[in-house]
């Protein structure tokens, strides 16, 4: 979901109806990533996710822990989101930011979400040197004389998106 500001997000997350739906779930089954992120509003399609390319695909979430200073981490994350949307990986949309409310699971301080049309594009993204460096340093395998990136992957999730049955569009 997208919220225009943190106060609106807090209102939604604290609403009794939201609490009733999420409160019945085991605590380990629910994770909320709340961060301010950019929205590429060049077209309404990017906001409303209309069109065949949005009907199926792969969404990736990377949880990142800061290893450098704030400015370097924020700039790195912005550059990686831009790389995801470049011709090198072809993401339909990518956004990331610093987690609101302090570190999350695994010491994550930032999150990156990206939507790809297929798993091949996600694989291309994960093989990009900047992304591979974050994974290597997150797993403790970085080095070889190279300076660590300012963010390291400490968790990830990949979701396959498929059309819902019985859903029609007006």
């Amino acid at each position: 979901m997208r919220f225009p500001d943190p106060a609106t997000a807090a209102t939604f997350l604290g609403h009794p109806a939201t609490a009733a739906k999420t409160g019945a779930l085991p605590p380990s089954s629910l994770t909320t990533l709340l961060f301010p992120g950019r929205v590429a509003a060049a077209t309404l399609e990017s906001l409303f996710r209309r069109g065949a390319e949005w009907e199926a695909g792969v969404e990736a979430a990377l949880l990142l822990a800061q290893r450098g200073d704030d400015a370097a981490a924020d700039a790195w994350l912005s550059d990686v989101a831009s790389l995801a949307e470049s011709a090198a990986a072809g993401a339909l949309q990518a956004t990331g930011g610093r987690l609101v409310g302090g570190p999350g699971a695994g010491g994550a301080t930032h999150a990156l979400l990206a939507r790809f049309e297929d798993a091949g594009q996600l694989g291309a993204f994960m093989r990009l040197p900047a992304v591979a460096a974050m994974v290597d340093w997150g797993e403790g395998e970085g080095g070889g004389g190279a300076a660590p990136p300012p963010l390291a992957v400490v968790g990830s999730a990949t979701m396959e998106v498929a059309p819902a049955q019985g859903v029609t569009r007006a």
Side-chain angles (χ1 to χ4, degrees), residues 9 16 25 31-32 39 42 61 71 83 85 102 106 108 138 141-142 145 160 169:
L25 299 171
T31 299
T32 301
V39 175
L83 277 172
E85 292 178 339
E141 297 176 8
E160 184 176 354
R169 294 192 180 187

Side-chain angles (χ1 to χ4, degrees), residues 14-160:
H15 191 277
T18 304
K21 290 183 188 286
T22 59
L25 299 171
S28 62
S29 68
L30 183 65
T31 299
T32 301
L33 301 175
L34 187 59
F35 61 91
R38 68 179 173 82
V39 175
T43 66
L44 287 178
E45 184 173 79
S46 66
L47 291 175
F48 294 104
R49 295 183 174 199
R50 301 286 176 154
E53 67 272 22
W54 290 104
E55 291 181 8
V58 178
E59 291 199 2
L62 298 180
L63 294 174
L64 309 163
Q66 185 170 325
R67 303 285 195 249
D69 65 39
D70 288 351
D74 293 341
W76 183 275
L77 184 56
S78 177
D79 290 347
V80 169
S82 294
L83 277 172
E85 292 178 339
S86 74
L92 296 169
Q93 191 172 44
T95 188
R98 184 177 302 276
L99 296 178
V100 173
T109 56
H110 294 72
L112 174 77
L113 301 176
R115 173 73 179 258
F116 300 91
E117 285 189 67
D118 58 54
Q121 290 175 323
L122 172 58
F125 171 69
M126 295 303 292
R127 288 187 297 273
L128 291 172
V131 179
M134 291 192 308
V135 172
D136 290 346
W137 280 95
E139 294 177 348
E141 297 176 8
L151 292 168
V153 175
V154 294
S156 65
T158 305
M159 294 133 302
E160 184 176 354

